[in-house]
C-alpha cells in the first residue's frame, strides 16, 4: 500500500494475543525472549522497558507482559526462555467471540495444570470424573490427536500432551483464560519379591493414608510395573515399581486470592515423613509393605516461596525430572576432609559429607528436613567449644557441603565430628596454633626519641665507609633508601653518577634535543 508506505495482508484475520505472567516474580524474573511459533514462522518477543526507579541494572523491574500478533483460526506454540509461569493469562484484544486461536504452551515441570475461565474450572478433554465429581483421572488417547481441542470448541477447552509436554488451550474472543499450576508429589515405591496379584491383595492406599494422616482421596496409584532393565534398576533390585500421585483435588471455583501455598506445605510434609521413614529403615513397617527404596519427585513450590528461585532458574529441557532415591542410610561418608590453617581462623578446605546405602549408592536425604551437625573434639574425644560458622546444615540430594566453618581456639590433636541422627563420621586430627600477638604502635616521646636515635645511629653506620662528600650526610635524621625518587635531600655519589650518565645519553640522542 503506497499510501501507507507499508504492506497489507489479505486472507488472514489478525488479532493481538496477550501473554501475561501472574506469578509473584512478575517484575523480577526474566521470561523473554518468548517464542511464538505458527505456520513455520517464529515471533521472538522481548520484555518491555524498565519500571524501576534506580539507574542500576540490578534493580530493574520489567513486567512479564508480552503481545504477539496472531492469525485467528490457527494454532500457535509458545515457549519461554526460562521455566513457564505457574499462573499464566492468555487473551486476545478486541476480538469477536466467533474468533479463536489454539495456543499450546510448553511446560517442563510435571505438575497438574488447571484451566479457568471467569474463575470456573474447565476440565481437560480426556478427564474422567469420579462418582461425586470432586476429582478426575486422565484417559490415555487411543490415537494421536484424539483429545486435541478443535478451533470451534468452547473457550478454555484444553488437553495436555504428555509426550510433547504441551498444554493446548483454546482462546476465544476477548475473555481471559488462566492456567494455574497445582503441586503434585510423585512417589515410586520399589517393592522386591512381590507379584502384582499379591500387591493388589493388600491396600497400599489405605495404609499410606493412615501413616501420612491424609485423606485417601489424595492418593492415586497411576502405574504398577515390573522392572527388569536399566543400569539404575539393576543396582536397586526390585520386584515391582508402584508409581503413586499425591495431590489435592482441583478447586472448581477459584478467586484472585486462591493460592497453592497451603497445598505445597502439605505435600512437602508428606515427602518429609516418607523420606525420614525410608532413611531410618522404618518405612516398610509403617505402610505394611516390604519397600527397598522409594523415588520422590518433590512438589513445585509456589512463586512466593524462597525456594522457587532455584527451581525457576533451572535449565528448561524435555527430559523427565530428576528422581530423588531414598533408602535406609548405611554410612555417612566424609568425602572431603576439613583442612585447618596453622593458626586459628577459617578452614582452608571445607568438609563435604555423603549419605549412602549398603551398596554405596546415593541416598537423597535432601528431600527431608534432616540435617548434618558438625562439632569440634579435643585429643580425648570430648566435644569442646571453638568451632565457628554454620555448624548445622541441610542436605542437597545426598550431599552436605559446609561453606563457612572456622576454628576459633587453638589445640593439638583436634578432630571434627559430623552426625546425621545415629550415623557419624570423623575427620583426621590436626593442630591449630593461637594467632601471633602484634604490638600496637605508640606515639609516646620515649618511643619517638628511641626511634630517632636508632635512625641516626643506623645512618652513621651506613655512611661511614662512604667518602664524606657532604656534611649533611651524617647529620640528617631522615631515613633514606636507594630510590632516586626519595624525598630526602641527601645525595650520594652513586646518584650523581647516574644523573651524569642519563644526561650524556640524552645529549647524544637525535630524538631528544636538550643540549
Amino acid at each position: 500500500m503506497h499510501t501507507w508506505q507499508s504492506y497489507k495482508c489479505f486472507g488472514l484475520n489478525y488479532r493481538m494475543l496477550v501473554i501475561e505472567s501472574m506469578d509473584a516474580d512478575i517484575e523480577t524474573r526474566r521470561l523473554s525472549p518468548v517464542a511464538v511459533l505458527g505456520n513455520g514462522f517464529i515471533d521472538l518477543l522481548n520484555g518491555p522497558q524498565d519500571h524501576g526507579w534506580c539507574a542500576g541494572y540490578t534493580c530493574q523491574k520489567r513486567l512479564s507482559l508480552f503481545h504477539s500478533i496472531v492469525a485467528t483460526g490457527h494454532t500457535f506454540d509458545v515457549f519461554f526462555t526460562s521455566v513457564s509461569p505457574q499462573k499464566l493469562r492468555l487473551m486476545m484484544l478486541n476480538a469477536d467471540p466467533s474468533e479463536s486461536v489454539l495456543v499450546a504452551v510448553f511446560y517442563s515441570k510435571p505438575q497438574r495444570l488447571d484451566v479457568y475461565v471467569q474463575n470456573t474450572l474447565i476440565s481437560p478433554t480426556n478427564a474422567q470424573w469420579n462418582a461425586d465429581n470432586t476429582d478426575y483421572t486422565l484417559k490415555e488417547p487411543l490415537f494421536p490427536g484424539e483429545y486435541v481441542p478443535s478451533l470451534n470448541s468452547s473457550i478454555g477447552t484444553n488437553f495436555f500432551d504428555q509426550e510433547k509436554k504441551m498444554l493446548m488451550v483454546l482462546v476465544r474472543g476477548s475473555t481471559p483464560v488462566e492456567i494455574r499450576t497445582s503441586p503434585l508429589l510423585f512417589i515410586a515405591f520399589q517393592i522386591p519379591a512381590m507379584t502384582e496379584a499379591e500387591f493388589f491383595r493388600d491396600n497400599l492406599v489405605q495404609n499410606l493414608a493412615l501413616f501420612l494422616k491424609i485423606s485417601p482421596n489424595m492418593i492415586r496409584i497411576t502405574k504398577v510395573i515390573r522392572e527388569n532393565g536399566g543400569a539404575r534398576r539393576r543396582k536397586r533390585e526390585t520386584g515391582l515399581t508402584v508409581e503413586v500421585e499425591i495431590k489435592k483435588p482441583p478447586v472448581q471455583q477459584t478467586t484472585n486470592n486462591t493460592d497453592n501455598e497451603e497445598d505445597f506445605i502439605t505435600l512437602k510434609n508428606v515427602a518429609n515423613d516418607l523420606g525420614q521413614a525410608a532413611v531410618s529403615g522404618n518405612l516398610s513397617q509403617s505402610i505394611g509393605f516390604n519397600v527397598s527404596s522409594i523415588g520422590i519427585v518433590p512438589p513445585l513450590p509456589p512463586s512466593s516461596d524462597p525456594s522457587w528461585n532455584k527451581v525457576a532458574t533451572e535449565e528448561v529441557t524435555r527430559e523427565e525430572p530428576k528422581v530423588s532415591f531414598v533408602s535406609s542410610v548405611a554410612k555417612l561418608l566424609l568425602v572431603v576432609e576439613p583442612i585447618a590453617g596453622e593458626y586459628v581462623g577459617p578452614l582452608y578446605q571445607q568438609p563435604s559429607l555423603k549419605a549412602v546405602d549398603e551398596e554405596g549408592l546415593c541416598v537423597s536425604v535432601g528431600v527431608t528436613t534432616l540435617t548434618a551437625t558438625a562439632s569440634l573434639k579435643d585429643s580425648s574425644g570430648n566435644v569442646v567449644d571453638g568451632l565457628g560458622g554454620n555448624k548445622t546444615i541441610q542436605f542437597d540430594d545426598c550431599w552436605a557441603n559446609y561453606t563457612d566453618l572456622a576454628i576459633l581456639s587453638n589445640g593439638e590433636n583436634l578432630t571434627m565430628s559430623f552426625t546425621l541422627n545415629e550415623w557419624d563420621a570423623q575427620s583426621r586430627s590436626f593442630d591449630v596454633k593461637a594467632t601471633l600477638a602484634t604490638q600496637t604502635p605508640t606515639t609516646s616521646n620515649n618511643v619517638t626519641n628511641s626511634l630517632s636515635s636508632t635512625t641516626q645511629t643506623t645512618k652513621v653506620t651506613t655512611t661511614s665507609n662512604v667518602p664524606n662528600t657532604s656534611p649533611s650526610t651524617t647529620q640528617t635524621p631522615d631515613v633514606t633508601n636507594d630510590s632516586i625518587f626519595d624525598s630526602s635531600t641527601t645525595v650520594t655519589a652513586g646518584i650523581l653518577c647516574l644523573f651524569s650518565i642519563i644526561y650524556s645519553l640524552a645529549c647524544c640522542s637525535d630524538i631528544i634535543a636538550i643540549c
Side-chain angles (χ1 to χ4, degrees):
M1 302 290 291
H2 294 288
T3 56
W4 294 1
Q5 295 185 356
S6 60
Y7 292 96
K8 181 179 180 180
C9 299
F10 297 92
L12 293 175
N13 182 38
Y14 289 98
R15 289 290 181 265
M16 187 74 75
L17 176 65
V18 178
I19 306 170
E20 181 180 9
S21 169
M22 306 292 289
D23 285 351
D25 56 2
I26 181 175
E27 292 182 323
T28 56
R29 186 164 73 96
R30 190 167 183 85
L31 300 174
S32 59
V34 178
V36 180
L37 178 65
N39 296 328
F41 297 92
I42 189 170
D43 184 12
L44 291 178
L45 309 175
N46 280 317
Q49 69 178 18
D50 178 24
H51 290 268
W53 286 95
C54 79
Y57 178 79
T58 56
C59 64
Q60 285 183 346
K61 294 183 178 181
R62 302 176 185 272
L63 290 174
S64 298
L65 176 63
F66 309 93
H67 298 81
S68 179
I69 299 177
V70 297
T72 59
H74 290 75
T75 301
F76 296 90
D77 298 337
V78 177
F79 299 90
F80 296 94
T81 298
S82 58
V83 176
S84 300
Q86 295 194 40
K87 292 183 181 180
L88 184 66
R89 181 159 60 189
L90 304 172
M91 64 178 295
M92 288 190 294
L93 298 180
N94 304 318
D96 190 84
S98 61
E99 300 169 340
S100 64
V101 292
L102 184 61
V103 181
V105 183
F106 175 74
Y107 284 89
S108 59
K109 302 298 180 181
Q111 305 293 304
R112 191 186 69 211
L113 300 171
D114 299 330
V115 177
Y116 293 90
V117 176
Q118 296 179 341
N119 296 329
T120 301
L121 176 68
I122 307 297
S123 60
T125 53
N126 60 334
Q128 184 173 357
W129 289 88
N130 56 12
D132 52 0
N133 289 328
T134 57
D135 200 358
Y136 59 81
T137 57
L138 298 177
K139 296 179 292 184
E140 292 290 336
L142 299 178
F143 55 88
E146 178 182 5
Y147 296 112
V148 175
S150 61
L151 289 168
N152 58 1
S153 301
S154 59
I155 182 173
T157 304
N158 63 91
F159 166 71
F160 184 71
D161 190 326
Q162 293 282 356
E163 182 177 352
K164 297 180 179 179
K165 295 188 176 181
M166 302 289 289
L167 175 67
M168 306 176 187
V169 57
L170 191 80
V171 179
R172 180 179 294 279
S174 295
T175 303
V177 176
E178 292 189 9
I179 304 172
R180 301 194 177 196
T181 304
S182 298
L184 284 178
L185 175 61
F186 291 90
I187 303 174
F189 294 93
Q190 296 184 354
I191 304 176
M194 177 176 284
T195 64
E196 294 185 33
E198 292 173 336
F199 168 76
F200 285 107
R201 187 174 57 197
D202 299 321
N203 199 335
L204 175 63
V205 173
Q206 291 294 337
N207 294 351
L208 274 176
L210 290 174
F211 170 63
L212 299 173
K213 297 179 177 60
I214 60 176
S215 172
N217 295 332
M218 294 178 57
I219 305 172
R220 185 170 68 90
I221 298 176
T222 59
K223 191 180 295 184
V224 179
I225 54 178
R226 177 171 295 280
E227 296 291 345
N228 54 10
R232 183 89 186 189
R233 301 300 186 185
R234 286 194 296 271
K235 288 181 180 179
R236 299 180 182 271
E237 293 296 337
T238 179
L240 293 177
T241 295
V242 182
E243 297 183 359
V244 176
E245 283 184 4
I246 300 180
K247 58 182 175 61
K248 287 285 190 71
V251 178
Q252 301 195 34
Q253 197 71 29
T254 185
T255 63
N256 293 332
N257 297 326
T258 302
D259 197 355
N260 293 323
E261 185 172 356
E262 183 179 348
D263 295 348
F264 167 72
I265 294 176
T266 299
L267 296 180
K268 185 179 179 180
N269 292 335
V270 168
N272 178 56
D273 292 342
L274 286 172
Q276 291 205 30
V279 167
S280 62
N282 298 326
L283 182 60
S284 299
Q285 181 181 358
S286 301
I287 65 175
F289 284 84
N290 183 18
V291 178
S292 59
S293 66
I294 59 175
I296 297 178
V297 179
L300 204 63
S303 59
S304 58
D305 192 275
S307 60
W308 164 245
N309 183 59
K310 180 180 178 181
V311 178
T313 54
E314 293 177 354
E315 183 181 1
V316 179
T317 65
R318 291 187 180 273
E319 297 179 359
E320 292 299 320
K322 178 183 177 182
V323 179
S324 299
F325 286 93
V326 187
S327 58
S328 178
V329 173
K331 294 180 181 178
L332 184 64
L333 303 179
L334 180 58
V335 179
V336 179
E337 284 275 350
I339 298 179
E342 183 178 1
Y343 301 101
V344 295
L347 294 178
Y348 284 174
Q349 178 172 282
Q350 297 290 334
S352 291
L353 306 168
K354 184 180 182 182
V356 297
D357 60 11
E358 292 181 350
E359 300 177 13
L361 298 176
C362 173
V363 177
S364 299
V365 184
V367 300
T368 71
T369 57
L370 295 175
T371 57
T373 302
S375 60
L376 186 65
K377 293 184 178 181
D378 59 15
S379 57
S380 302
N382 300 318
V383 177
V384 294
D385 295 331
L387 183 62
N390 191 6
K391 297 184 284 291
T392 300
I393 61 173
Q394 287 192 319
F395 281 77
D396 183 6
D397 198 14
C398 58
W399 291 92
N401 302 312
Y402 287 90
T403 58
D404 61 352
L405 291 181
I407 306 299
L408 305 180
S409 60
N410 62 307
E412 295 181 354
N413 293 324
L414 299 175
T415 57
M416 293 182 63
S417 179
F418 306 91
T419 58
L420 165 64
N421 286 0
E422 66 266 28
W423 303 279
D424 61 355
Q426 188 163 307
S427 71
R428 294 190 291 263
S429 61
F430 54 89
D431 300 336
V432 177
K433 299 178 181 178
T435 305
L436 290 176
T438 57
Q439 295 182 355
T440 305
T442 61
T443 57
S444 64
N445 293 332
N446 294 335
V447 176
T448 304
N449 294 334
S450 176
L451 178 61
S452 176
S453 175
T454 304
T455 304
Q456 289 183 354
T457 304
T458 305
K459 180 70 179 184
V460 172
T461 304
T462 305
T463 59
S464 60
N465 297 329
V466 181
N468 189 5
T469 58
S470 174
S472 62
T473 304
T474 58
Q475 294 177 0
T476 176
D478 296 328
V479 179
T480 62
N481 54 42
D482 294 333
S483 173
I484 64 173
F485 303 104
D486 184 37
S487 60
S488 173
T489 58
T490 304
V491 180
T492 65
I495 295 176
L496 290 175
C497 181
L498 179 60
F499 273 127
S500 300
I501 295 174
I502 295 175
Y503 184 80
S504 300
L505 292 175
C507 288
C508 297
S509 174
D510 296 333
I511 300 176
I512 306 175
I514 63 175
C515 299

